[in-house]
Amino acid sequence: MKKGFVLFSALVLMTSVSQAQQAMYETARSIRSLGMGGVYIPIVKDTDALFYNPAALGRLDGMDIQLINVGLGANITDPEKISALTEIDPSDPTTFNALFGEKYWFGGAGKVAVAVPYFGVGYFTDYSVELELHNPAFPEFQTYFLNDSGFVVGGAVAILPNTYLGMNFKKIVRWGGTVQDLGLDAIVGGGTSMEAIGNSFDSKGTGYGLDLALTTELPFPLKPTFAIVWQNVGDVAFTKTAGTEAPPHIHQNLSIGAGMDLDLPGLDIAVGAEARHLTDYDVQLGKKLHIGAEISLPILDFRAGYSQGYLSYGVGVNLLVFRLDAVSYTEELGVYPGQTADNRYLIGLSIDLSFDANFNFQDNNGKRRKLKQRR
């Protein structure tokens, strides 16, 4: 009986962890935001407003075109651990014994968008794969695969001076979103690529989402900004298009945030704080809090933050229309901060074209100066 109780408790804990992860899921996340501890909704002012805070489209001045924004990530940096995964020989136990207990995560994302004052359109795709080898008697990878791709159309209107109301409509195609046990042959034979692993997951579906947002900038020194964003109002449910069942739905996400900027000659400092997933009452408050800051120099951006109980660090390099970003952050996979930390690393490349209100071209540094003048 005692053994059964322990087994039951373990199953309950695993279910709670899975539900907590699903509830905190977010699409189209920015590397810049992750470097700042996840803070973004009160300070975003470019095409990312389309994905994070549509009300901020009212703060644009001119046209912003994101030709490409791609990122790749993993929770491992040791080449030996990566090679150990790719060199598995299912007939030789010595090649995979060391993998037991190791959790692998790989992620990839891409975005394109065009935004003008009060309006924007965009497309995004996110891939996520998690692998963990278990069951020594009959080794299998406990595998989680998810791909979300979607089109976004958003707009904003001014309802008061420096106060904007925004709305987004999204069509999302979801692939996967569940956990499956895959044999060693399935992982090795597919070359561990995300798409090859995804072919083992047949559940696909289409859903539609709505975001609402309100942003206001107060007429005080440092111009503090407050934002309320309600993403995926009422959850996003999916209609099955392939497989045996529809993918799991996306939970709604109610967020509030505040931020401000300090402009000095050759230096820009942005700070902010957010509380997200406020309607997820079963998620502890510590997992909902995000604090961060960014220091911008003419070419370099330095970021740091505090998210879900852990520190994050990021850096950005601006080269004309090209921008390189990197971040080290921690994702809490458990129910409460400090339970199951997963350290992750992301790098990204983006190409942005920006034009002011008179359609004069500006590089990334000129774009930031333009934003400073509007603050």
Side-chain angles (χ1 to χ4, degrees), residues 59 161-163 216-226 258-263 372 374-375:
R59 306 177 71 189
N162 297 318
T163 301
T216 184
E217 182 182 284
L218 301 182
F220 299 133
L222 303 181
K223 298 182 179 179
T225 301
F226 296 89
M260 61 181 62
D261 299 288
L262 175 63
D263 299 335
K372 288 182 183 182
R374 292 197 73 246
R375 292 169 185 165

Side-chain angles (χ1 to χ4, degrees), residues 220-253:
F220 299 133
L222 303 181
K223 298 182 179 179
T225 301
F226 296 89
I228 301 175
V229 180
W230 190 5
Q231 293 179 317
N232 306 312
V233 176
D235 296 358
V236 176
F238 293 91
T239 301
K240 182 183 70 174
T241 58
T244 57
E245 59 183 4
H249 61 274
I250 300 177
H251 290 265
Q252 61 185 348
N253 175 13

Side-chain angles (χ1 to χ4, degrees), residues 22-330:
Q22 186 181 17
M24 304 292 284
Y25 173 75
E26 298 173 3
T27 60
R29 293 199 295 180
S30 163
I31 293 181
R32 180 190 179 202
S33 171
L34 291 171
M36 299 175 63
V39 174
Y40 216 27
I41 65 171
I43 62 174
V44 64
K45 298 185 182 74
D46 54 16
T47 53
D48 272 346
L50 185 63
F51 304 101
Y52 272 83
N53 177 4
L57 291 169
R59 306 177 71 189
L60 269 66
D61 183 14
M63 176 182 290
D64 193 18
I65 303 173
Q66 191 167 84
L67 290 178
I68 188 172
N69 185 320
V70 294
L72 293 173
N75 65 345
I76 50 176
T77 56
D78 186 350
E80 293 184 0
K81 289 187 176 181
I82 298 177
S83 63
L85 182 63
T86 58
E87 296 175 1
I88 295 174
D89 181 354
S91 63
D92 183 3
T94 61
T95 63
F96 56 78
N97 281 341
L99 298 179
F100 286 104
E102 294 283 348
K103 178 182 283 292
Y104 289 85
W105 172 82
F106 302 97
K111 290 186 290 187
V112 294
V114 178
V116 295
Y118 302 103
F119 181 76
V121 294
Y123 173 83
F124 71 90
T125 184
D126 282 341
Y127 282 88
S128 181
V129 173
E130 296 180 15
L131 303 170
E132 185 171 5
L133 190 62
H134 68 149
N135 191 9
F138 300 96
E140 292 180 313
F141 277 99
Q142 188 177 68
T143 309
Y144 175 82
F145 171 84
L146 178 65
N147 170 228
D148 280 338
S149 300
F151 291 94
V152 184
V153 178
V157 295
I159 57 176
L160 291 171
N162 297 318
T163 301
Y164 308 95
L165 182 67
M167 180 183 297
N168 270 358
F169 293 99
K170 299 179 286 187
K171 177 183 178 181
I172 303 174
V173 176
R174 170 162 281 199
W175 177 15
T178 57
V179 176
Q180 290 189 25
D181 287 332
L182 300 182
L184 299 177
D185 290 324
I187 301 299
V188 178
T192 66
S193 72
M194 295 185 190
E195 186 173 1
I197 293 173
N199 290 332
S200 301
F201 293 76
D202 59 359
S203 295
K204 294 184 179 180
T206 300
Y208 299 88
L210 171 69
D211 298 347
L212 299 175
L214 178 67
T215 291
T216 184
E217 182 182 284
L218 301 182
F220 299 133
L222 303 181
K223 298 182 179 179
T225 301
F226 296 89
I228 301 175
V229 180
W230 190 5
Q231 293 179 317
N232 306 312
V233 176
D235 296 358
V236 176
F238 293 91
T239 301
K240 182 183 70 174
T241 58
T244 57
E245 59 183 4
H249 61 274
I250 300 177
H251 290 265
Q252 61 185 348
N253 175 13
L254 179 63
S255 306
I256 59 173
M260 61 181 62
D261 299 288
L262 175 63
D263 299 335
L264 298 172
L267 177 67
D268 184 21
I269 301 175
V271 297
E274 285 182 27
R276 299 212 294 270
H277 299 278
L278 296 178
T279 59
D280 295 318
Y281 304 111
D282 55 340
V283 177
Q284 290 198 2
L285 179 62
K287 288 191 64 176
K288 303 177 181 180
L289 299 179
H290 307 267
I291 303 171
E294 177 184 63
I295 298 176
S296 296
L297 301 174
I299 297 178
L300 295 174
D301 299 325
F302 298 96
R303 306 166 187 130
Y306 183 80
S307 173
Q308 298 187 341
Y310 305 98
L311 295 176
S312 63
Y313 308 93
V315 63
V317 181
N318 296 287
L319 302 171
L320 297 177
V321 299
F322 300 91
R323 189 175 74 245
L324 298 172
D325 292 292
V327 63
S328 170
Y329 73 104
T330 300

